[in-house]
Amino acid sequence: MTSLGRVLENLKYYGWLTLGAIVSVLLLTVANALTPQLFRRGIDQGIAPQDLSVVLVTGALMVGVAIARGLFNFGQSYWSEAVSQGVAYRLRSQVFRKIETLSFSYHDQAQTSQLLTRITSDIEQIRTFVGTSLIQVISSVVTLVTIATILLIMNWRLALITLAVIPLAGALLFRFFGQNQPLFGQVQERLGDLNDVLRENLLGVRVVKAFARESVEQTRYTQMNAQLVAVYIKTLRAIRNTFPFIFLLSNLITLAVVGYGGAQVINGAFTIGELVAFNAYLLFILQPVLLIGFAAPVIAQAAASADRVYEIVDAPIEITNRPNAVPFTQCGGRITFENVWFRYPGAATPALQGVSFETRPNELIAILGRTGSGKSTVVNLLQRFYDVTKGAVRIDGRDVRDFDLESLRSRIGIVFQETTLFSGTLQENIAYAKPDASLDEVIEVAKLAHIHEFIRGLPEGYDTIVGERGVGLSGGQKQRIAIARTLLTDYKILILDDSTSAVDARTAAQIQADLDGIMKARTCSAFVIAQRISTIKAADRILLIDHGKLAACGTHEQLMRTSPLYGAILESQVSQ
């Protein structure tokens, strides 16, 4: 329940709305408390002595109280719903901000579907609790205290019989919470797993259809769906084992009140109006108990959801600015890897083992190696997507961990191997890192990336809307848009991570020739990660990475003479 307490701390940001809801609850309780007294007055002073004027006046007052109850009930619902929407807004923003700042190591291990479930379904569970269940519980507690006081004043003996239901129902609800809260957490876990299967099939629908695996995926989804339903059934069984006993208690108490109160009316110790009023109060005191009972599963669900949400909020951010971090503004071009070791979180073996090298100003460095050799890891450490396990990465002699993280990354342009495009126009995608860029600037970098002619041939040109994840564009077209996007940034260091792998060899050679000139003119240092040796022959130096180690270093000609591994890779590519 600690996480729910943290949720409720958000109410301080909506003080007036919360106050409006609480005032509405108090006024509604007063209106509810007056209604049975009007019944008593109408019966004892109007109907029994046959005084029509008292009956009419009492009826008018009851109409007025009914209208007031409707208004206060509306106010209670409106203000509480407004508060719940505000709390949900803050939580969604808080979780999204945290997801954006979490390190790559967290995202490497976190399931996307679970993150989506927590920021949508779990927060909706919390919103329902704040908007409905919380106000129900507050209203029920205020009503219980108010009505209990009135009953004790009217007839303390009969009141004690009535109030006996409260501790008994409370014990049942306490047992319900203690035994079943983990069960509601399992519901959200199973929902996340189901969403994971759905996400995979939506993203991989072409693969599913290409291999005619529709029936297999339907079976897998059905199985996950059945597991979710099974957990839901368990929660229903938990509710079944608790709430029928609460209903039974309420019925027994009603029977006892009617029997004992009726005997007192016959003996003249109680009037008929007082018995009717007391019976009406009995409904008012049983209703809060039932409302708390109905709110119990929602509270348990919200508590489990709050735990899941705050797991993200409280997740440690591994890559942060050091105290007194300095901005990265100038780059002389000397990038040094000093005995760098790195192991990915959860990995059994290091991705890099004792890698050491140093670049010279305006040098074009190519990084070559087989798949999984550690090529991309080298540049990931340069941008501090991860921090080294041992050793140091330096720029002009200063450890990259001493630089302000935002300024460091904003001055390093990178084109990833896997291209990601966002919803919007082609112009907006190219200008993603520089939204205020003019169309002329966008066209200039598009020409350098050899994508301008393609865009110009589209009916809408640069205003063409990009489909979801770039659907409708080829892999090569998406890569060239990504290259143009990076060239538009104010980079000092440029990294091309196998950025022309989806482009035909001729276009790749043209792009690489243009980029070579750009990198010489605009950068202090440049790195090209490649699979094909043909695209990196012109590099000033080639770093050959093998099983996380720097196996060789030199120009194309030097490596041809001295590195058997380099020769083997070249031979395998030529033979293809």
Side-chain angles (χ1 to χ4, degrees):
M1 302 299 288
T2 303
S3 297
L4 275 187
R6 294 177 64 181
V7 169
L8 296 181
E9 290 177 3
N10 289 283
L11 297 180
K12 64 186 178 183
Y13 299 103
Y14 306 96
W16 288 108
L17 295 177
T18 304
L19 180 62
I22 293 174
V23 170
S24 297
V25 167
L26 295 176
L27 292 175
L28 180 61
T29 303
V30 171
N32 287 333
L34 284 175
T35 302
Q37 293 300 324
L38 292 175
F39 272 117
R40 180 188 61 78
R41 180 177 183 275
I43 293 172
D44 289 345
Q45 298 180 26
I47 295 176
Q50 298 183 352
D51 188 339
L52 182 60
S53 62
V54 173
V55 173
L56 293 175
V57 171
T58 302
L61 290 173
M62 291 179 67
V63 171
V65 171
I67 294 173
R69 287 171 62 185
L71 291 174
F72 299 146
N73 191 43
F74 172 79
Q76 163 191 295
S77 301
Y78 177 82
W79 297 119
S80 60
E81 182 64 22
V83 171
S84 74
Q85 292 292 348
V87 170
Y89 167 82
R90 286 188 60 83
L91 285 176
R92 281 193 293 266
S93 299
Q94 191 176 9
V95 173
F96 186 78
R97 282 197 302 270
K98 188 58 180 280
I99 289 175
E100 289 291 289
T101 56
L102 282 169
S103 307
F104 271 30
S105 57
Y106 180 89
H107 290 287
D108 289 342
Q109 301 178 65
Q111 287 185 316
T112 303
S113 59
Q114 291 290 346
L115 295 178
L116 289 173
T117 300
R118 296 184 190 203
I119 204 171
T120 53
S121 178
D122 282 313
I123 289 181
E124 180 61 21
Q125 293 288 347
I126 295 171
R127 190 203 64 77
T128 301
F129 158 72
V130 174
T132 304
S133 302
L134 179 61
I135 202 69
Q136 283 182 352
V137 171
I138 294 174
S139 176
S140 298
V141 171
V142 172
T143 301
L144 283 174
V145 173
T146 303
I147 301 304
T149 303
I150 294 173
L151 292 180
L152 288 169
I153 293 173
M154 290 181 64
N155 189 318
W156 67 271
R157 291 184 181 86
L158 197 57
L160 290 178
I161 296 175
T162 304
L163 298 177
V165 72
I166 296 175
L168 295 174
L172 289 172
L173 293 176
F174 182 80
R175 185 173 70 92
F176 175 83
F177 271 113
Q179 294 181 352
N180 299 297
Q181 182 171 338
L183 193 60
F184 291 98
Q186 292 179 26
V187 170
Q188 295 304 105
E189 292 289 342
R190 293 291 180 272
L191 182 60
D193 293 340
L194 186 67
N195 287 339
D196 193 36
V197 176
L198 177 61
R199 180 187 64 84
E200 289 176 353
N201 276 267
L202 290 176
L203 294 176
V205 63
R206 288 173 174 79
V207 177
V208 173
K209 291 184 177 298
F211 290 93
R213 301 287 289 179
E214 292 91 342
S215 60
V216 175
E217 292 301 325
Q218 288 171 15
T219 301
R220 187 160 72 108
Y221 187 83
T222 300
Q223 290 173 345
M224 299 299 295
N225 203 6
Q227 292 177 13
L228 175 62
V229 171
V231 178
Y232 269 122
I233 294 299
K234 288 183 180 179
T235 63
L236 293 177
R237 288 173 182 166
I239 294 172
R240 180 201 64 189
N241 293 335
T242 300
F243 290 92
F245 293 103
I246 296 177
F247 299 146
L248 177 61
L249 281 174
S250 65
N251 291 329
L252 291 176
I253 294 297
T254 303
L255 181 62
V257 168
V258 172
Y260 184 81
Q264 287 198 318
V265 170
I266 293 172
N267 294 330
F270 221 34
T271 66
I272 295 177
E274 287 175 325
L275 180 60
V276 171
F278 204 97
N279 195 54
Y281 281 126
L282 178 62
L283 296 177
F284 279 123
I285 207 168
L286 290 175
Q287 184 182 29
V289 174
L290 296 178
L291 284 177
I292 292 175
F294 287 129
V298 180
I299 296 173
Q301 186 87 58
S305 293
D307 286 339
R308 286 161 51 81
V309 167
Y310 281 108
E311 279 181 9
I312 299 176
V313 175
D314 296 336
I317 301 175
E318 296 180 2
I319 309 298
T320 58
N321 284 328
R322 283 180 171 179
N324 304 316
V326 298
F328 176 58
T329 55
Q330 300 296 324
C331 177
R334 186 164 56 90
I335 297 173
T336 309
F337 274 59
E338 295 181 356
N339 190 32
V340 170
W341 289 71
F342 176 73
R343 183 196 302 269
Y344 285 101
T349 58
L352 294 179
Q353 304 177 48
V355 173
S356 297
F357 65 86
E358 182 172 279
T359 70
R360 294 181 287 272
N362 302 108
E363 191 174 26
L364 173 59
I365 301 294
I367 304 177
L368 181 71
R370 294 189 173 98
T371 301
S373 60
K375 305 186 300 297
S376 296
T377 304
V378 172
V379 295
N380 284 340
L381 296 178
L382 182 60
Q383 279 199 291
R384 286 197 71 198
F385 291 146
Y386 305 89
D387 277 340
V388 297
T389 305
K390 187 169 66 174
V393 178
R394 303 183 186 278
I395 299 178
D396 298 332
R398 184 183 285 273
D399 196 313
V400 292
R401 289 169 289 190
D402 293 333
F403 289 116
D404 174 75
L405 194 58
E406 183 177 352
S407 68
L408 175 69
R409 290 178 179 173
S410 65
R411 295 294 186 273
I412 299 178
I414 183 169
V415 182
F416 291 101
Q417 184 177 5
E418 295 182 6
T419 303
T420 300
L421 301 183
F422 298 90
S423 58
T425 65
L426 289 172
Q427 181 177 349
E428 290 169 343
N429 268 277
I430 295 175
Y432 180 75
K434 190 180 178 182
D436 58 345
S438 65
L439 180 59
D440 289 338
E441 292 177 291
V442 170
I443 291 174
E444 180 183 353
V445 294
K447 288 179 178 178
L448 292 173
H450 292 263
I451 192 65
H452 172 67
E453 294 300 325
F454 166 75
I455 296 176
R456 191 178 63 172
L458 297 173
E460 301 294 329
Y462 283 87
D463 292 326
T464 301
I465 299 296
V466 176
E468 184 180 9
R469 304 183 313 279
V471 172
L473 298 174
S474 69
Q477 290 162 352
K478 287 190 286 187
Q479 277 194 334
R480 281 177 278 174
I481 290 171
I483 292 172
R485 178 172 61 193
T486 300
L487 294 178
L488 195 58
T489 62
D490 184 21
Y491 57 86
K492 302 296 182 184
I493 300 171
L494 184 61
I495 299 169
L496 304 178
D497 187 354
D498 209 9
S499 57
T500 57
S501 59
V503 179
D504 63 87
R506 181 178 178 181
T507 304
Q510 292 174 342
I511 294 173
Q512 197 63 54
D514 291 339
L515 291 179
D516 288 347
I518 294 171
M519 289 186 282
K520 293 285 187 182
R522 287 186 54 181
T523 67
C524 68
S525 191
F527 294 85
V528 177
I529 300 174
Q531 299 267 4
R532 294 187 296 222
I533 291 180
S534 58
T535 61
I536 58 171
K537 287 182 178 180
D540 295 310
R541 266 192 298 165
I542 299 172
L543 306 180
L544 182 58
I545 306 294
D546 185 45
H547 294 95
K549 297 179 181 179
L550 182 58
C553 177
T555 63
H556 172 68
E557 290 75 14
Q558 291 171 341
L559 292 179
M560 283 284 293
R561 294 192 305 269
T562 61
S563 174
L565 176 60
Y566 187 82
I569 294 175
L570 179 59
E571 183 179 353
S572 66
Q573 293 180 3
V574 171
S575 63
Q576 292 174 0

